[in-house]
C-alpha cells in the first residue's frame, strides 16, 4: 500500500538533507588536529550525526494517543488520526496570503537599495497588511507611509543610516 | 549579609542615578507595551534593541533590557484577560480564568490580582535572587571547563526534552540551533566552517537576524496563512476596578504559592514560563475551597493570581543561572546573554568580582522596576487597552518593518534580509509542525560556548573523555541529565500500560 507522504515526512527528509550537505562541507574544514585530537571538525561531526539520526527518527515516528511516541509501530498507532485532528484544529491554509507576505519581503529586499528605506518600507508594510486581509487598504497605505517615513527620520536623528531615495533627502 | 551590603552601597547607588532610572522606566514601558501587543514577545524586542543599545553604556542598556523582559510578563496578562489571546507564552493559563472573569464583568479585579500578584512575586523573587546569586557564584567559581560543559549538556537536554510535547522535535530544534552556531570562523583554530564560500557568513549568523526571523517573520507568515479568520473581541473594563475583601482573601495565598513554584523553575534550565504557570494553575485548582473550585472554568480569581505570580517569579529566576553561571535558560535570557557579549562582558561567577556595579545595579533596578510596573499597569491600564485596538494587519506590518530594519542595519546588506526571510520560513515551518523554538535559540548561543569548554576540558585532561564521569560534580550533573531524558518516556509508558490493564 502506498501512503501519501505527509508534510512532516518531507520536513524530516529536509532535515536529513541539511545533515548530508553539512557532512559534505565538513571535508572543506582543514583538519588541523588541535590539541588532544579534538580539532575544528569534531563538533560539526557530532551535530551532523545528530541531524541525520533525529531526521530519520522523525521520518519513522509513529504517534500514540496515550503512550510515548515510538519509532516502530507496536500495534496501536494513532499517527494519522492525530494528524487529521490537528489539521482540523488548525484550519485551512491560505497559501495566497503566504505568497503575498513572502513576495512583499523579497521585493523589499530587492528594492531597498534602489528606492530607499521609506518607499521600500511603505511597500512592505502595506504588503503585510494585504496578506493579513486588511479591510481598509487605503488608510493602511497612508499609515504605512507615515510609519516608514517616521522611522526613517527617527533613526536618522539617532545616527543610524538607512538608504535614502534622494541623496541626504527627505525620503 | 554581604550581599545586602553590596546591594545597598553599590546596587541602588548605580540604579538610582537619573540616567539609569530613565533606562529602567523606558524598558518597563516598552516591555508592558510589547507584552500587551499580541504577537510580539520579549525575545524579539530585546533582539530588536540590541543594535540600538550598542552606543549606550552596558549598565543602562542591561537595565533597560531586563525591564523589557519583566514588563512583558506584566503586560501579557492584560491581553490574556481582555482579549483571550495571550500576549506571550507565560500568560496562556491566565487567559483561561481571566477572560471568563472579564466576560462576567470582573475584568478589573482580574487585572488587579494579576498586577499585584506579579509585583509580589517579582519582589520576593528579587530578594531570593539577591541572597542566592552571590552564594551560587562563589560555588560556581570552583567549576572548571569539565563541569561547565556538563552543565551545558544539562541545559540542552532540559530545554529540548521538557518543553513542548515531543522531545524529538525539541532535539531537532536544538540541533538546528547548534548547526547555525557552527557557521563562521571557529574561535580556537581560526578556521571558517560552513560558510559555503560566502563572505557575509564568515562572522556567523547574527542572533538579531535569527530572533527576528523566527519570532517576527515566521509568526507573520503563519498568521497570514492560517489565522486570518480568527477575530478577537476585547472585553470592556466596566465594573469596579478594585478587588473586594474576598478577592484579596482568595488571592494572597495563590500569589505566594505561585512564587514558590515559579522561582525554582526559572533557575533550573527547564526553559521558560509555561511549565510553572501550568503547574500553579493545577495546584490552585486542587487547593481552592469547595465553593471556589466550582468557579474554575467560569472565572476563578485563584486561577489568575497563582499563574501570574508564577510567571513573574520564573522570569526573575532565569536571571540566577544567567548571572552566576552564564547559562541562559530561556530564549529571552539567551538574547540577553548576547547583549552581555556585545560589550565583551562574560556573565558568570566572575561577574560579581569584575563588574560589581553592573550586576548589583541590575539587581537593584529589578526592585525599582517592579514598583514602576505596578504603577504602569494598575492605574494606567486604560492606556494599554488602547494598544489592543491597533488593527492586527497594521500591527504585523509595523513589526515586519522594524524587523527588516533591525536586520538591515547590522551591515547595510541585502544578504541579511535574505537570511531573515529564510529563517522566517524556517520559523513558519516550526510553528506549523509544532517544533519549539527555544531550544534553537539556546543552541545557537550556548553551542559555541559548549564547544569551547569541551575543547578546553580535553586539552587540560589530555583528551581523556572519562573526565566527565570521574569528576564528581560533573557526574552528578550528567546523571540528572540522563534522568531528564529517560524518566518522562518511562513514566508515560508505565501509565499507558496501567491504562491497558485496567
Amino acid at each position: 500500500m502506498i501512503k501519501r507522504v505527509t508534510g512532516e515526512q518531507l520536513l524530516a527528509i529536509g532535515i536529513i538533507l541539511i545533515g548530508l550537505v553539512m557532512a559534505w562541507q565538513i571535508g572543506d574544514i582543514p583538519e588541523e588536529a588541535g590539541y588532544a585530537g579534538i580539532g575544528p571538525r569534531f563538533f560539526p561531526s557530532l551535530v551532523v550525526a545528530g541531524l541525520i539520526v533525529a531526521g530519520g527518527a522523525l521520518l519513522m515516528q509513529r504517534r500514540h494517543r496515550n503512550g510515548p511516541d515510538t519509532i516502530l509501530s507496536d500495534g496501536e498507532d494513532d499517527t494519522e488520526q492525530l494528524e487529521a485532528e490537528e489539521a482540523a484544529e488548525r484550519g485551512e491554509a491560505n497559501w495566497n496570503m503566504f505568497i503575498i507576505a513572502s513576495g512583499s519581503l523579497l521585493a523589499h529586499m530587492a528594492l531597498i537599495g534602489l528606492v530607499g528605506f521609506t518607499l521600500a518600507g511603505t511597500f512592505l508594510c502595506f504588503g503585510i497588511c494585504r496578506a493579513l486581509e486588511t479591510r481598509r487598504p487605503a488608510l493602511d497605505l497612508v499609515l504605512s507611509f507615515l510609519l516608514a517615513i517616521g522611522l526613517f527620520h527617527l533613526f536618522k536623528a539617532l545616527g543610524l543610516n538607512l538608504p535614502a531615495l534622494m541623496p541626504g533627502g527627505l525620503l | 549579609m554581604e550581599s545586602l551590603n553590596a546591594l545597598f552601597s553599590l546596587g541602588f547607588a548605580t540604579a538610582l542615578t537619573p540616567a539609569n532610572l530613565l533606562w529602567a522606566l523606558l524598558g518597563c514601558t516598552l516591555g508592558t507595551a510589547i507584552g500587551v501587543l499580541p504577537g510580539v514577545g520579549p525575545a524579539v524586542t530585546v533582539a530588536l534593541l540590541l543594535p540600538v543599545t550598542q552606543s549606550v553604556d552596558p549598565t543602562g542598556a542591561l537595565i533597560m533590557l531586563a525591564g523589557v523582559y519583566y514588563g512583558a510578563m506584566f503586560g501579557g496578562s492584560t491581553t490574556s484577560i481582555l482579549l483571550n489571546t495571550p500576549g506571550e507564552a507565560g500568560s496562556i493559563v491566565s487567559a483561561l480564568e481571566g477572560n471568563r472573569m472579564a466576560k462576567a464583568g470582573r475584568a478589573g479585579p482580574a487585572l488587579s490580582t494579576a498586577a499585584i500578584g506579579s509585583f509580589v512575586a517579582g519582589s520576593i523573587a528579587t530578594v531570593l535572587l539577591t541572597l542566592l546569586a552571590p552564594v551560587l557564584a562563589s560555588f560556581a567559581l570552583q567549576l572548571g571547563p569539565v563541569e561547565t560543559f556538563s552543565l551545558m549538556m544539562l541545559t540542552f537536554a532540559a530545554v529540548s526534552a521538557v518543553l513542548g510535547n515531543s522531545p524529538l522535535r525539541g532535539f531537532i530544534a536544538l540541533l538546528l540551533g547548534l548547526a547555525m552556531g557552527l557557521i563562521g570562523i571557529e574561535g580556537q583554530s581560526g578556521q571558517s566552517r560552513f560558510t559555503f564560500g560566502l563572505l557575509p557568513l564568515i562572522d556567523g549568523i547574527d542572533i538579531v537576524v535569527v530572533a527576528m526571523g523566527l519570532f517576527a517573520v515566521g509568526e507573520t507568515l503563519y498568521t497570514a496563512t492560517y489565522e486570518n479568520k480568527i477575530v478577537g473581541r476585547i472585553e470592556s473594563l466596566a465594573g469596579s476596578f478594585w478587588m473586594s475583601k474576598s478577592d484579596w482573601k482568595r488571592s494572597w495565598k495563590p500569589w505566594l504559592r505561585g512564587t514558590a513554584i515559579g522561582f525554582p523553575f526559572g533557575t533550573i534550565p527547564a526553559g521558560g514560563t509555561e511549565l510553572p504557570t501550568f503547574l500553579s494553575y493545577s495546584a490552585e485548582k486542587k487547593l481552592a475551597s469547595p465553593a471556589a473550585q466550582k468557579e474554575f472554568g467560569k472565572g476563578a480569581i485563584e486561577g489568575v493570581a497563582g499563574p501570574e505570580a508564577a510567571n513573574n517569579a520564573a522570569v526573575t529566576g532565569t536571571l540566577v543561572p544567567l548571572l552566576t553561571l552564564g547559562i541562559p535558560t530561556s530564549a529571552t535570557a539567551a538574547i540577553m546573554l548576547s547583549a552581555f557579549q556585545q560589550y565583551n562582558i562574560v556573565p558568570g561567577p566572575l561577574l560579581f568580582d569584575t563588574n560589581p556595579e553592573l550586576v548589583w545595579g541590575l539587581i537593584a533596578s529589578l526592585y525599582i522596576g517592579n514598583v514602576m510596573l505596578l504603577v504602569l499597569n494598575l492605574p494606567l491600564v486604560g492606556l494599554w487597552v488602547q494598544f489592543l485596538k491597533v488593527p492586527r494587519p497594521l500591527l504585523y506590518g509595523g513589526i515586519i518593518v522594524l524587523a527588516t530594519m533591525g536586520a538591515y542595519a547590522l551591515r547595510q546588506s541585502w544578504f541579511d534580509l535574505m537570511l531573515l526571510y529564510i529563517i522566517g520560513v524556517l520559523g513558519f515551518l516550526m510553528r506549523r509542525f509544532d517544533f519549539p523554538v527555544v531550544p534553537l535559540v539556546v543552541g545557537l548561543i550556548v553551542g559555541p560556548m559548549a564547544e569551547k569548554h569541551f575543547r578546553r576540558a580535553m586539552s587540560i585532561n589530555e583528551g581523556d573523555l572519562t573526565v566527565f564521569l570521574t569528576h564528581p560534580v560533573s557526574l552528578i550533573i550528567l546523571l540528572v541529565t540522563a534522568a531528564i531524558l529517560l524518566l518522562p518516556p518511562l513514566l508515560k509508558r508505565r501509565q499507558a500500560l496501567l491504562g491497558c490493564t485496567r
Side-chain angles (χ1 to χ4, degrees):
Chain A
M1 187 175 77
I2 298 168
K3 279 188 197 160
R4 206 172 63 88
V5 181
T6 63
E8 189 166 279
Q9 284 168 328
L10 281 179
L11 196 71
I13 292 167
I15 290 160
I16 297 171
L17 279 179
I18 293 176
L20 291 176
V21 170
M22 284 178 71
W24 166 61
Q25 280 279 310
I26 287 180
D28 283 1
I29 304 171
E31 181 62 352
E32 157 250 359
Y35 196 78
I38 307 294
R41 282 183 182 183
F42 183 76
F43 246 66
S45 310
L46 287 184
V47 173
V48 162
L51 277 172
I52 294 173
V53 171
L58 184 67
L59 191 62
M60 300 193 297
Q61 175 170 273
R62 311 311 303 163
R63 296 167 62 193
H64 303 269
R65 196 171 291 280
N66 295 314
D69 299 337
T70 52
I71 303 291
L72 298 168
S73 174
D74 51 357
E76 192 189 353
D77 180 351
D78 312 310
T79 312
E80 269 144 62
Q81 230 178 320
L82 285 170
E83 264 161 28
E85 280 167 28
E86 282 159 9
E89 201 178 310
R90 199 166 38 241
E92 201 68 26
N94 189 344
W95 292 109
N96 288 339
M97 295 304 146
F98 181 88
I99 291 166
I100 294 177
S102 296
S104 308
L105 279 156
L106 293 173
H108 170 263
M109 178 178 74
L111 285 174
I112 190 163
L114 287 173
V115 301
F117 172 81
T118 314
L119 291 186
T122 306
F123 179 80
L124 174 63
C125 187
F126 180 64
I128 298 295
C129 286
R130 291 308 298 255
L132 284 150
E133 292 179 11
T134 178
R135 267 163 289 164
R136 16 161 253 187
L139 181 61
D140 281 340
L141 185 61
V142 175
L143 290 172
S144 298
F145 177 72
L146 291 178
L147 175 78
I149 198 166
L151 281 173
F152 178 71
H153 284 282
L154 174 71
F155 281 87
K156 207 167 123 187
L158 286 172
L160 192 72
N161 274 320
L162 292 163
L165 178 62
M166 300 176 278
L170 282 167
L171 289 175
Chain B
M1 283 311 102
E2 210 175 296
S3 55
L4 286 182
N5 197 9
L7 175 71
F8 285 102
S9 63
L10 265 178
F12 280 105
T14 311
L16 285 171
T17 59
N20 285 340
L21 277 177
L22 213 63
W23 287 121
L25 183 64
L26 188 65
C28 291
T29 314
L30 262 174
T32 307
I34 57 133
V36 170
L37 291 173
V40 210
V44 73
T45 315
V46 171
L48 199 60
L49 288 170
L50 280 186
V52 186
T53 52
Q54 254 158 10
S55 48
V56 180
D57 91 293
T59 311
L62 288 166
I63 285 178
M64 176 173 76
L65 296 181
V68 170
Y69 193 9
Y70 236 56
M73 293 296 138
F74 268 82
S77 56
T78 309
T79 316
S80 296
I81 291 166
L82 295 180
L83 198 62
N84 200 13
T85 317
E88 32 78 43
S91 305
I92 295 170
V93 192
S94 336
L96 295 175
E97 300 298 322
N99 191 252
R100 291 285 155 77
M101 282 180 73
K103 283 205 163 77
R106 302 216 327 126
L111 288 167
S112 296
T113 196
I116 301 171
S118 296
F119 170 76
V120 170
S123 301
I124 296 175
T126 310
V127 173
L128 292 174
L129 169 72
T130 310
L131 299 174
L132 256 178
V135 181
L136 201 63
S138 63
F139 168 72
L141 272 177
Q142 294 154 20
L143 302 180
V146 174
E147 288 82 6
T148 312
F149 177 78
S150 301
L151 213 51
M152 287 169 172
M153 291 302 110
L154 171 64
T155 311
F156 287 157
V159 291
S160 21
V162 178
L163 288 177
N165 302 324
S166 148
L168 178 60
R169 283 156 202 259
F171 276 111
I172 290 174
L174 174 74
L175 286 163
L176 289 172
L178 291 174
M180 278 187 206
L182 290 172
I183 296 173
I185 298 266
E186 192 262 328
Q188 246 156 343
S189 62
Q191 304 294 349
S192 69
R193 299 190 293 195
F194 304 109
T195 54
F196 300 92
L198 296 167
L199 218 53
L201 282 180
I202 282 196
D203 295 331
I205 299 182
D206 201 284
I207 180 71
V208 176
V209 177
V210 176
M212 301 298 173
L214 289 179
F215 296 108
V217 178
E219 181 70 24
T220 305
L221 289 174
Y222 188 85
T223 309
T225 314
Y226 285 105
E227 291 186 341
N228 271 334
K229 299 283 174 290
I230 298 170
V231 222
R233 213 189 108 224
I234 308 173
E235 303 300 328
S236 67
L237 259 177
S240 161
F241 191 77
W242 299 107
M243 291 160 66
S244 68
K245 212 170 179 182
S246 100
D247 288 336
W248 281 94
K249 217 174 135 193
R250 290 173 59 182
S251 287
W252 72 270
K253 276 188 201 155
W255 290 339
L256 297 181
R257 279 195 290 260
T259 313
I261 294 172
F263 186 78
F265 262 95
T267 61
I268 59 167
T273 49
E274 283 135 285
L275 209 57
T277 49
F278 277 102
L279 275 179
S280 163
Y281 180 77
S282 52
E284 293 314 327
K285 203 172 173 178
K286 282 203 188 87
L287 292 169
S289 68
Q293 239 160 14
K294 279 188 201 125
E295 276 182 42
F296 268 83
K298 291 178 217 130
I301 197 163
E302 291 89 348
V304 184
E308 277 304 314
N311 74 29
N312 256 59
V315 165
T316 315
T318 58
L319 293 176
V320 176
L322 181 67
L323 293 176
T324 62
L325 301 170
I327 293 181
T329 55
S330 71
T332 315
I335 299 167
M336 279 184 73
L337 179 71
S338 63
F340 279 98
Q341 287 169 344
Q342 168 178 295
Y343 296 109
N344 285 322
I345 299 170
V346 185
L350 288 172
L351 196 65
F352 285 82
D353 287 330
T354 53
N355 298 74
E357 300 90 28
L358 186 143
V359 185
W360 289 112
L362 184 63
I363 294 175
S365 82
L366 298 180
Y367 289 96
I368 300 165
N370 253 313
V371 180
M372 285 177 175
L373 283 167
L374 188 64
V375 177
L376 279 173
N377 279 276
L378 261 189
L380 298 180
V381 69
L383 188 78
W384 303 113
V385 175
Q386 301 304 314
F387 269 70
L388 292 177
K389 293 181 181 153
V390 177
R392 207 163 56 163
L394 202 62
L395 175 68
Y396 277 90
I399 295 168
I400 289 295
V401 170
L402 281 170
T404 50
M405 199 175 76
Y408 190 79
L410 292 172
R411 293 187 286 210
Q412 307 269 328
S413 141
W414 64 269
F415 187 83
D416 287 317
L417 292 177
M418 185 57 145
L419 269 183
L420 180 77
Y421 178 69
I422 294 172
I423 296 172
V425 173
L426 176 70
F428 166 80
L429 289 172
M430 289 177 77
R431 174 89 200 267
R432 162 66 180 76
F433 290 101
D434 251 341
F435 282 70
V437 285
V438 179
L440 193 156
V441 179
V442 170
L444 173 72
I445 304 274
V446 183
M449 290 159 56
E451 181 175 13
K452 204 171 77 189
H453 284 285
F454 180 75
R455 293 176 68 176
R456 209 176 277 166
M458 284 300 94
S459 25
I460 297 172
N461 298 290
E462 292 165 0
D464 178 14
L465 278 170
T466 57
V467 287
F468 294 108
L469 302 175
T470 49
H471 285 212
V473 177
S474 164
L475 178 68
I476 294 171
I477 297 169
L478 289 179
L479 285 177
V480 175
T481 311
I484 286 177
L485 294 179
L486 299 176
L487 275 183
L490 286 179
L491 284 178
K492 217 172 168 189
R493 189 164 292 266
R494 192 172 153 257
Q495 249 173 8
L497 282 177
L498 284 178
C500 283
T501 49
R502 214 170 279 154

